[in-house]
Amino acid sequence: MEKSPVKRIQMLLFSFFAGLDRQLGFILLGLSAVGFFTFLSASQNTPVQIADELRNLALSFAVMWLASRIPPKWLEISAAWIYGLGIVLLVAVAVFGLIKKGARRWLNIGVVIQPSEIMKIAMPLMLAWYFQKREGIQKVWDYAVAMIILAIPVFLIARQPDLGTALLVFAAGLYVIILAGLPWKWILPFVAVGAIGIFLIIIFGGTICAHDIAWPFVHNYQKHRICTLLDPSSDPLGKGFHTIQSMIAIGSGGFFGKGWFQGTQAHLEFIPEKHTDFVFAVFSEEFGLLGNLVLIALFFALIKRGLTISASAPNLFTRLLGAAVTLIFFTYAFVNIGMVSGLLPVVGVPLPFISYGGTALVTLGFGAGILMSIHRHRRLVQS
Amino acid sequence: MVSFKKPNLDSFQERIHIATLFITVCFLLLITRLVWLQLISHGKYSLLAESNRIALVPAPANRGLIIDRNGIVIGRNYSALTLDINAEEAKDNIDKLINELSEIIDISPRDRRNFKRSLEDSRNMGTIPLRSMLNEAETARFMANRYRFPGVEIRARNFREYPYNELASHLVGYIGRVSQRDKERMQAEIENSKADDLDALQTSFLPGIQYVGKIGLEQSYESILRGVPGYDQVEITAGGKPVRTLSSSPSSPGKNIVLSVDVKLQYLVEELYGNFRGAFVAIEPETGDVLAFVSKPNFNPNDFVEGIDSVTWKELNDSPQKPLYNRPLKGIYPPGSTYKPFMALAALENKKRTPSQTISDPGYFDFGNHTFRDDKKGGHGIVDMQKSIVESCDTYYYMLARDMGVNMMHDFMKPLGFGQITGIDLQGESKGVLPSTDWKKTAFKKPEQQKWYEGETISLGIGQGYNSFTILQLAHAMANLANNGIVMKPHLVKAIEDPFTRNRILTTPKESYRIDLNPENIEIIKKAMIEVNISGTSAAAFRGAGYIAGGKTGTAQVFSLNSKDYKHGATAEFLRDHALYIAFAPADKPTIVIAMVVENAGFGAQYAAPIARKALDYYIEGKWPKEVPEWKRAP
């Protein structure tokens, strides 16, 4: 029987979207819409083009669609190779890398790439693969090896120096290790030490931030960042300026916000990086607490959905990978909002699907695609 | 395919639950933070956002003019182009910037110094002038190179100018750039004032004020002269770039002050003093109008307006002549014999003497074991009251002082204004000393010093001893006597003038109080003072005057000469006697009284009275002495 053209297109669309997780899809559409509208306001009077943002969004969804088609098995097979490639590139960066603003982070292989970005996905892939391999026979030794697998790229990235990315890669790997079953008795002491450390820094911030005191293992500018976080007013025109101005933007937004395109802090250039890392300040100023609650609800829904997918994933590899990817989303969102609202030090972390920037959107789209792929393949494998 | 291991999945799901809990806690933390910023601290941050956004661009108000009683302007404004640097912009490499600017515009070391001082004073407030009075060539060169100098601009500014330079400098004073200290003081004034709209005052007032009166009338009439600066509320970007003007409030110019001073008289007297130091105050007794207020030497207030350079400052400040010292206001001198008419009046009022009562003067007066000498060797013979004034007989007053005692003298002299603040409209007036037994108790620390010794009373009678008054007080006392005991507060400003309508509001105070004096007694004293100018010590100075003037000379010892004969010229200049003179004229209805001192000049009759004569000739008859150049109006 001859099918009508309408029916054909319907079927084509159906097969195109088949397997895309509908919930995840709508959440991501919602976030992208928020991102796009905020971008319109934030990019006013800047040379950044709307077309670029639309292209990036389209690219992100295309990558997501492609990734959702990749069977998890393929990822499992290639995990070690991707990790290995990442390490090779990081070593290459350390040797031949380009230096910009005092940091050696980039590699010119025809196009300029930043290998540490690859590690954000390669790290959980590798560790998930590793724990899948060792499934059922885990010993203390396995966790030690996992820590070494984690430590090598983190070390390489940290000495570029790029502390922000190093921490994110470390977090991504650590999620896998913890979810893989790292005993609580090993986790809790670290949590305790961390908590006490933070507490001490807050109490003794004034003393250790004194000008002539150098911190071990930490660059001076990094120390400065943390100290500025503790007391932004200590450097109101320098490093603290960003934090103070974004806090002013958020605070002056109030409950309902100043309205779309009405943010004075944003439009009078008081907010730094206003369409990239600090875009949350623009959103917050114009849409207020109400907008923020909606945005945080969207992120929470995204993460909840990711974790649900992971929990019902067919094997340890997909479970660990899915959960780690989801927690990376969480980390990005939490660290970004935390830093823009003056709760965490300023590290270069974009707000997922909201911040302008091709690389981040593509990476995050790829992560979302992996989650969808895991969801798509759950019954296929189980049955 | 791989099958589930039940325990493993359970442990994974348990960890997913824990992760969910962890995430929930983290998000709640963020929400708490946002609630704190957006609800609880919303007000504070809104204010900060507003103050970020809005800059007040001040529009300085035109300062009021200073006009003398005949309409001659002695403090005015003129407009000139200046090269301004934005203080914020200038913070870091100011030297480099100025060096580059000096390639196209002439910038003197003095300009640099002044700029740097203003920069320190201003603490990044507004723009700071680097060079004023740019000529056309410089302006053109700068405009052509303007792109090289962001934050540097040319502006028309109003400058304060004192067209007669040194003339009346101590009474006019000068303005200068607002310093941080001035700012803080004005802030405090505003906070203390009961203004209706405090916020409006604080935000609108201060930024527009760039100059403030530092001394003289510029200082004491600051609030009237200044006017209210206007401002534009401008929305600016983080970089300080103006986006649009939100509102605009025009400035309103300061009011003019009209002096009671006659600056031609002032000029004449300043010229007549020549190189002598001294003070001269002329008052219209009926009104308290100060007609002349001279302090010599003086200085050029124009040097101070844009910040004085250190060389000139050092010169003025270190000079032994003390040109910055306001002598009539602050300098205290013993009145010497000019005190005698007041003493005589005190004797009449207190019934200690009658006019005809006489003493016999052997040329000295013994009290205790001390001998008080008279000027005239061998004495004045038989002396009644009139003769005591006309010939300035010391012995008469030694005895009178003994008979009255210190406290009776004090009580009589006090209402006349001796040793009292006159309340003239200038800041920093000295009080001087009108001695009494009570005064001595508070003035000294040691008990033996606090006691009054009878011997100390004697020299008070001839205006020596502890007596020390300002020339302003002496003139004020003379005016009170000439005005028959009606006390008018002396003042330099007669009226406040609206700059547009030219309407004047008189500020002249009403009479302060009346001293209950017997008119007959006053007449006796005045008559004796008239005789002084006819046949007495200042007769030579007043020979041929076309009016009748009363006067009294005085010579005040700078230090005790231990009864040795005084030899003019043999004494170091600064140890020589001060020449004093007081006068009133015309005698029947005085329109002017004078008190003056010529420091270290010698006898009052010789050095002071002739100046007074010429001043009176001019003021009463319009006669201009030949030796003084004609008064020329400022261009």
Side-chain angles (χ1 to χ4, degrees), chain B residues 13-268:
Chain B
Q13 289 197 326
E14 178 197 293
R15 294 206 174 201
I16 289 289
H17 287 314
I18 290 169
T20 311
L21 186 70
F22 173 69
I23 287 158
T24 311
V25 169
C26 284
F27 277 167
L28 283 177
L29 191 67
L30 287 185
I31 290 169
T32 311
R33 174 69 172 177
L34 293 170
V35 166
W36 185 78
L37 288 174
Q38 298 192 294
L39 291 186
I40 296 164
S41 314
H42 171 60
K44 170 189 156 192
Y45 285 112
S46 291
L47 219 67
L48 285 171
E50 280 299 285
S51 62
N52 257 347
R53 175 171 86 98
I54 293 168
L56 296 175
V57 179
N62 256 355
R63 200 172 173 85
L65 304 176
I66 301 176
I67 305 169
D68 100 321
R69 69 188 289 132
N70 298 312
I72 298 167
V73 177
I74 58 172
R76 66 185 180 189
N77 312 302
Y78 71 100
S79 181
L81 294 179
T82 64
L83 192 68
D84 281 16
I85 298 181
N86 187 312
E88 183 73 31
E89 203 89 27
K91 246 181 344 193
D92 297 327
N93 41 21
I94 184 62
D95 284 310
K96 189 167 157 275
L97 180 63
I98 297 181
N99 285 341
E100 283 171 19
L101 280 168
S102 66
E103 287 165 19
I104 53 169
I105 283 168
D106 188 29
I107 293 162
S108 71
R110 181 185 161 175
D111 291 331
R112 273 175 200 256
R113 281 198 301 272
N114 287 345
F115 176 82
K116 284 196 176 163
R117 226 190 38 213
S118 303
L119 187 64
E120 281 163 25
D121 285 349
S122 75
R123 277 208 223 146
N124 303 332
M125 291 182 298
T127 60
I128 295 167
L130 173 65
R131 236 300 297 284
S132 51
M133 283 170 279
L134 298 176
N135 60 35
E136 274 177 38
E138 285 172 324
T139 310
R141 273 204 300 277
F142 175 77
M143 293 315 277
N145 287 281
R146 191 180 185 168
Y147 66 94
R148 288 169 56 198
F149 304 108
V152 183
E153 58 195 53
I154 286 185
R155 276 200 190 175
R157 263 179 198 280
N158 264 338
F159 289 91
R160 193 62 158 176
E161 183 190 39
Y162 305 102
Y164 296 100
N165 297 313
E166 285 85 359
L167 179 71
S169 53
H170 285 98
L171 85 96
V172 172
Y174 52 79
I175 64 167
R177 278 209 144 248
V178 171
S179 66
Q180 195 57 35
R181 225 178 52 216
D182 293 324
K183 274 260 148 144
E184 280 157 15
R185 205 196 45 205
M186 286 192 287
Q187 190 74 49
E189 269 169 33
I190 287 172
E191 275 158 21
N192 290 334
S193 73
K194 299 267 180 284
D196 291 337
D197 193 353
L198 216 71
D199 285 336
L201 265 180
Q202 279 169 339
T203 51
S204 69
F205 215 43
L206 286 180
I209 298 168
Q210 287 166 327
Y211 291 88
V212 67
K214 300 282 187 181
I215 63 162
L217 292 172
E218 291 275 31
Q219 179 191 37
S220 53
Y221 284 84
E222 170 64 25
S223 57
I224 287 164
L225 290 165
R226 181 199 290 149
V228 181
Y231 57 89
D232 288 346
Q233 275 198 327
V234 178
E235 190 173 71
I236 53 157
T237 67
K241 205 174 72 198
V243 179
R244 63 197 161 120
T245 302
L246 301 172
S247 73
S248 188
S249 140
S251 64
S252 53
K255 295 193 165 63
N256 302 333
I257 55 175
V258 180
L259 306 189
S260 49
V261 172
D262 179 336
V263 298
K264 278 181 161 177
L265 175 65
Q266 175 94 12
Y267 164 76
L268 175 64

Side-chain angles (χ1 to χ4, degrees), chain A residues 178 182 245 265 268 314 341, chain B residues 4 15 33 38 42 52 238:
Chain A
I178 291 173
L182 185 67
Q245 293 302 339
Q265 286 286 103
L268 297 171
S341 61
Chain B
F4 291 146
R15 294 206 174 201
R33 174 69 172 177
Q38 298 192 294
H42 171 60
N52 257 347

